[in-house]
């Protein structure tokens, strides 16, 4: 019998919230014609201390490369690229606009708990 593993909890968010947060981040990045000129983006990007994570983040969000493409070009497995990207997104989100994007999700979670 296969037992389904619970989804990871990133930044204190549910799995569904994490996926929505990543989607919103992708929308923000893809609608910036020149993301390197945005102070908000650059200050958050500079908080990603690991160079490999930062590079993968840039390839995925700025150059719009897929995980498979990034993995092949760097000689890494897709799983490793995915893990590095998750860590980079976490570091970025915590710093982007002083964490307001993350707080928006955490506040909505608190509101949902209060109404239940």
């Amino acid at each position: 019998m296969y037992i389904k593993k619970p989804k990871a909890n990133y930044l204190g968010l549910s799995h569904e919230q994490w996926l929505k947060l990543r989607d919103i981040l992708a929308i923000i990045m893809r609608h910036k014609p020149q993301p390197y000129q945005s102070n908000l983006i650059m200050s958050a990007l500079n908080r990603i201390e690991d160079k490999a994570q930062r590079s993968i983040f840039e390839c995925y969000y700025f150059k719009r490369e897929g995980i498979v493409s990034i993995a092949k070009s760097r000689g890494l497995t897709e799983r490793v690229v995915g893990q590095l990207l998750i860590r980079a997104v976490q570091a970025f989100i915590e710093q982007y606009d002083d964490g307001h994007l993350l707080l928006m999700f955490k506040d909505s979670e608190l509101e949902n708990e209060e109404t239940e």
Side-chain angles (χ1 to χ4, degrees):
M1 175 185 230
Y2 176 75
I3 299 174
K4 188 175 179 181
K5 290 180 8 183
K7 299 286 184 180
N9 184 334
Y10 301 113
L11 300 172
L13 302 174
S14 69
H15 182 70
E16 291 76 21
Q17 288 175 314
W18 171 253
L19 294 177
K20 288 177 186 175
L21 184 64
R22 279 190 356 199
D23 290 344
I24 290 170
L25 181 60
I27 291 168
I28 290 169
M29 296 301 175
R30 291 178 179 155
H31 283 84
K32 292 279 186 188
Q34 297 177 338
Y36 291 105
Q37 292 181 353
S38 167
N39 289 333
L40 284 176
I41 291 174
M42 289 311 296
S43 65
L45 187 61
N46 289 332
R47 295 294 186 142
I48 303 173
E49 295 175 359
D50 184 275
K51 289 181 182 179
Q53 291 175 13
R54 185 179 321 124
S55 177
I56 288 171
F57 183 92
E58 290 175 4
C59 287
Y60 187 81
Y61 284 104
F62 298 166
K63 298 175 184 172
R64 301 179 184 174
E65 291 182 35
I67 289 178
V68 174
S69 172
I70 295 169
K72 286 182 179 179
S73 68
R74 294 165 189 261
L76 301 171
T77 65
E78 294 171 30
R79 182 180 175 100
V80 169
V81 170
Q83 290 170 342
L84 292 171
L85 183 59
I86 286 170
R87 291 184 198 128
V89 169
Q90 288 175 327
F92 185 90
I93 288 296
E94 288 176 325
Q95 297 302 316
Y96 181 74
D97 194 23
D98 295 325
H100 286 116
L101 188 59
L102 178 60
L103 289 174
M104 179 179 73
F105 278 88
K106 288 189 175 184
D107 286 347
S108 71
E109 184 177 280
L110 290 175
E111 289 172 6
N112 289 340
E113 287 176 3
E114 291 173 1
T115 59
E116 291 177 357

